[in-house]
Amino acid sequence: MGTLLLLTGALQPSAEVLPALALLGHTVKILPAEGSALLEAPDSDLVLVDGRQELAHARDLCRLIRTTGSDVPVLLVITEGGLAVVAHDWAMDDVVLHTCGPAELEARIRLAIGRLAAERENADPSSHVIRSGEVVVDDATYTAKISGRPLDLTYKEFELLKYLAQHPGRVFTRQQLLQEVWGYDYFGGTRTVDVHVRRLRAKLGPENEHLIGTVRNVGYRFVLPSREQSVDAPEQARSDA
């Protein structure tokens, strides 16, 4: 759940401005709908601007938020009558009726925050790169390297290595890996995971195969050995898949 900032001139709790908000689990902080309030506004994942009563003022406030350089999503709360006048140049990311239900409100909040996260990720060239020890996985180019050496992986081998490298040290059961890497609609058995782990270890090479560790009777994990453990880690981490 996120932290939401509600800018409103009404002397009412957030549940009165947007009733559906009270049914969601977000943390809501309320400030006056004034430009000066933005100076002391706490960090938030999304801003809600109350435009039910003073729509022109709410429009100006949305534009002012953008002039501060903030890229936080802005949702404008309006009445049904406001739908006839809102325009794209009001600088908000979306509009929501004050009578909307909790499912619709949650979806709009989630989509607005998700769009911002995607934009930030696309703007960061390193965001697609996963580094775990000597393993480097590039999710954008679907390439993987170990100690600078390219790995010739199939699609599922790549996805398996990526998922394990994203969660170093965490143990996953075979069933969990099937669901996360192969998908819920895959009907094969868990032996598929064992086969791909064996192939992945072979491609990592004898000196690095211990990076895919087996936890007996549980599953697999990505191993990041300490310097003290690096010498004997292959013997400790390996076992038959």
Side-chain angles (χ1 to χ4, degrees):
M1 294 300 173
T3 298
L4 311 182
L5 180 63
L6 174 60
L7 302 179
T8 177
L11 299 177
Q12 300 170 322
S14 60
E16 296 298 325
V17 177
L18 196 56
L21 198 56
L23 302 176
L24 304 179
H26 300 286
T27 299
V28 182
K29 300 180 180 180
I30 303 176
L31 286 179
E34 301 294 339
S36 58
L38 298 175
L39 298 175
E40 301 179 358
D43 292 336
S44 60
D45 300 306
L46 181 139
V47 177
L48 292 157
V49 177
D50 182 6
R52 298 172 304 150
Q53 303 295 331
E54 301 180 25
L55 192 55
H57 177 71
R59 174 201 61 199
D60 295 340
L61 187 56
C62 290
R63 290 172 173 171
L64 180 60
I65 292 172
R66 287 294 174 246
T67 63
T68 65
S70 172
D71 62 351
V72 174
V74 176
L75 263 62
L76 178 60
V77 182
I78 59 175
T79 63
E80 190 168 354
L83 291 174
V85 295
V86 290
H88 72 280
D89 62 350
W90 285 26
M92 75 288 188
D93 295 273
D94 200 356
V95 296
V96 59
L97 290 176
H98 71 106
T99 55
C100 74
E104 178 184 348
L105 179 59
E106 179 63 27
R108 291 182 183 276
I109 291 173
R110 183 178 67 252
L111 291 172
I113 294 176
R115 283 193 295 268
L116 175 61
E119 290 172 1
R120 288 176 173 174
E121 183 174 319
N122 291 333
D124 182 3
S126 65
S127 63
H128 300 287
V129 179
I130 303 163
R131 299 178 185 274
S132 289
E134 295 298 315
V135 174
V136 178
V137 178
D138 191 329
D139 194 22
T141 61
Y142 277 84
T143 58
K145 296 180 180 181
I146 177 74
S147 301
R149 173 173 63 88
L151 296 173
D152 183 16
L153 305 179
T154 65
Y155 177 75
K156 288 302 181 184
E157 289 167 355
F158 175 86
E159 289 293 316
L160 179 60
L161 177 62
K162 181 185 75 171
Y163 189 76
L164 291 172
Q166 282 178 314
H167 309 89
R170 180 176 171 183
V171 180
F172 294 96
T173 66
R174 292 167 175 82
Q175 189 62 43
Q176 286 175 318
L177 291 172
L178 271 180
Q179 293 174 352
E180 296 296 334
V181 177
W182 278 263
Y184 286 93
D185 57 347
Y186 180 76
F187 294 103
T190 55
R191 189 63 182 171
T192 297
V193 177
D194 298 332
V195 172
H196 280 75
V197 166
R198 187 177 297 115
R199 292 174 179 170
L200 188 53
R201 282 173 172 163
K203 292 183 178 181
L204 288 172
E207 69 280 11
N208 295 304
E209 60 181 6
H210 65 276
L211 293 176
I212 310 298
T214 299
V215 179
R216 289 187 180 276
N217 301 320
V218 182
Y220 300 102
R221 66 190 176 99
F222 190 88
V223 179
L224 281 178
S226 63
R227 292 181 179 179
E228 292 78 11
Q229 296 173 326
S230 60
V231 175
D232 57 357
E235 297 301 324
Q236 294 178 349
R238 286 187 58 198
S239 70
D240 290 338

